[in-house]
Amino acid sequence: MKKKMISFASLGLVCATFFLSCETENQHYEERLDAALEVPEKIISNAKAATLFQNDHTTRLSQIGKETTSFEEKSIYFDLQELTKYVNHLESVAVSRNIPITGASFVFGADANGKRTVFLMPSTRNASLDYQESFTIENGQFLTFKHIDQYLKVKPNSVTNENLILSSNGYLSFNEAVTLFNTYEINYIQPFAAKTPKEYYTKAVWYSLDEIKAYISYIKKKATDHDIAITGIDVFFGVYDTNPNLELKSNAQTLFLTASIQKHAIINTENELLKNYIQNGFFAKDDATDDEDESLAYNLGHLSPPPKNN
């Protein structure tokens, strides 16, 4: 009997050791997984975000007579819950309509007053042109939105019935998006092209759905970890440096995203406002760091029209 008790005790120790080992292994796995999810690949440093912001002012706005554009006019706010619902909606559409949605593009636009904006559109890969082509669906018709073209034409009877084009102020019809797109060409592309001829002029920035979801998960986790009341994402126009190693991205327009609390862009988990991180309206402060660990800024999307090697 004693031997049996010893055997059972030994078995218990083995089982306890086994389960403790499994629990430890699972814990380590979860920690590794959490770490992998915590910092998306395209998170950029605060200093890099500030530089992109500065470059936009000096190489674009100042060059086309819009140097008095205020900081507030440079921010495009998207509600976080609405953006999350939009990404989920695109995934549902991909399944229900059997459309290979590869991601979403932030397409550049400008309103009737000339203020820049962006709107989101689903995309699918155009194999013949080798780029991510935006599209929408209206009245059961699949409509491509070729932002590689200079201007787009409105369609008859355009209505918002599928909710596939998301702006900062709600959903847009195809024609409303076209109007914004064409106005951007008139107010921002053509004045700059007259001074700086380039092979292409960026009109959209593309991210895969997984990249957008990863960024949303990242800032939600940071909000929980640091008790930050993040309500949305602010989108800012930026411009890459003139570094020749960037090839066709050199001096190219881009976008960067950062978290927002009550429509005030924050650049890190210390709740530091991007506006306060910038001096004189657009210059990065001298003590700006290049630390990415607590950054909430996101960049490095694919530009469209795309560089030949993108």
Side-chain angles (χ1 to χ4, degrees):
M1 182 69 180
K2 192 172 183 180
K3 288 183 179 180
K4 287 185 178 180
M5 289 180 66
I6 292 174
S7 298
F8 281 124
S10 300
L11 179 61
L13 287 172
V14 170
C15 290
T17 303
F18 173 75
F19 286 118
L20 284 172
S21 174
C22 290
E23 185 177 345
T24 302
E25 186 175 339
N26 288 337
Q27 183 179 352
H28 288 165
Y29 172 76
E30 289 175 3
E31 288 174 355
R32 290 196 303 271
L33 182 61
D34 185 56
L37 293 173
E38 188 177 354
V39 183
E41 181 183 357
K42 296 186 176 182
I43 289 294
I44 60 172
S45 68
N46 300 328
K48 177 64 175 178
T51 299
L52 291 172
F53 186 86
Q54 172 186 325
N55 289 348
D56 173 64
H57 191 98
T58 56
T59 70
R60 291 300 189 275
L61 297 179
S62 295
Q63 294 298 314
I64 59 175
K66 296 182 181 291
E67 60 272 11
T68 59
T69 303
S70 68
F71 182 91
E72 286 71 23
E73 291 178 301
K74 296 174 183 177
S75 173
I76 303 108
Y77 174 84
F78 284 86
D79 179 80
L80 191 58
Q81 289 187 341
E82 194 65 40
L83 189 57
T84 302
K85 285 168 54 180
Y86 176 71
V87 173
N88 292 338
H89 178 54
L90 294 190
E91 291 184 319
S92 297
V93 170
V95 173
S96 63
R97 293 181 176 270
N98 195 26
I99 300 173
I101 295 178
T102 54
S105 291
F106 288 90
V107 185
F108 298 3
D111 64 19
N113 297 318
K115 180 186 176 183
R116 292 183 300 185
T117 188
V118 293
F119 50 90
L120 272 167
M121 295 189 71
S123 61
T124 186
R125 185 173 178 273
N126 184 318
S128 60
L129 296 177
D130 191 24
Y131 91 111
Q132 301 293 340
E133 186 168 79
S134 298
F135 72 90
T136 189
I137 300 172
E138 290 187 347
N139 299 316
Q141 184 180 6
F142 185 91
L143 301 175
T144 59
F145 197 96
K146 295 186 180 298
H147 36 74
I148 59 172
D149 292 343
Q150 186 174 18
Y151 293 100
L152 298 177
K153 294 181 179 179
V154 298
K155 305 285 184 182
N157 305 318
S158 176
V159 294
T160 310
N161 61 353
E162 294 281 351
N163 291 343
L164 293 183
I165 309 177
L166 179 64
S167 76
S168 59
N169 296 315
Y171 290 93
L172 303 176
S173 68
F174 179 86
N175 283 355
E176 288 171 329
V178 165
T179 300
L180 293 173
F181 180 82
N182 289 345
T183 305
Y184 183 86
E185 172 72 27
I186 294 169
N187 284 271
Y188 292 91
I189 299 292
Q190 292 306 314
F192 179 71
K195 294 186 175 184
T196 310
K198 289 174 64 68
E199 185 175 339
Y200 79 101
Y201 304 91
T202 312
K203 295 188 178 183
V205 174
W206 177 88
Y207 291 100
S208 71
L209 291 184
D210 285 343
E211 287 173 332
I212 296 174
K213 287 163 60 179
Y215 180 59
I216 291 174
S217 296
Y218 171 73
I219 62 174
K220 283 182 176 179
K221 186 177 189 308
K222 289 296 185 183
T224 300
D225 290 348
H226 299 273
D227 194 24
I228 308 171
I230 294 175
T231 60
I233 290 173
D234 280 321
V235 181
F236 291 89
F237 284 83
V239 174
Y240 288 113
D241 291 334
T242 54
N243 185 341
N245 292 332
L246 293 173
E247 298 178 345
L248 289 181
K249 281 188 176 181
S250 175
N251 192 31
Q253 189 85 61
T254 186
L255 296 173
F256 68 92
L257 321 178
T258 192
S260 181
I261 50 174
Q262 299 299 323
K263 299 188 178 182
H264 293 288
I266 59 175
I267 201 165
N268 56 29
T269 56
E270 298 298 320
N271 280 2
E272 187 172 7
L273 299 180
L274 175 61
K275 186 175 182 179
N276 294 342
Y277 197 81
I278 308 295
Q279 64 180 359
N280 300 328
F282 56 91
F283 287 110
K285 291 183 177 179
D286 291 337
D287 60 352
T289 66
D290 204 37
D291 185 12
E292 298 177 15
D293 291 345
E294 300 301 327
S295 171
L296 296 174
Y298 197 62
N299 182 237
L300 307 178
H302 289 260
L303 309 183
S304 182
K308 292 290 190 292
N309 61 345
N310 198 20

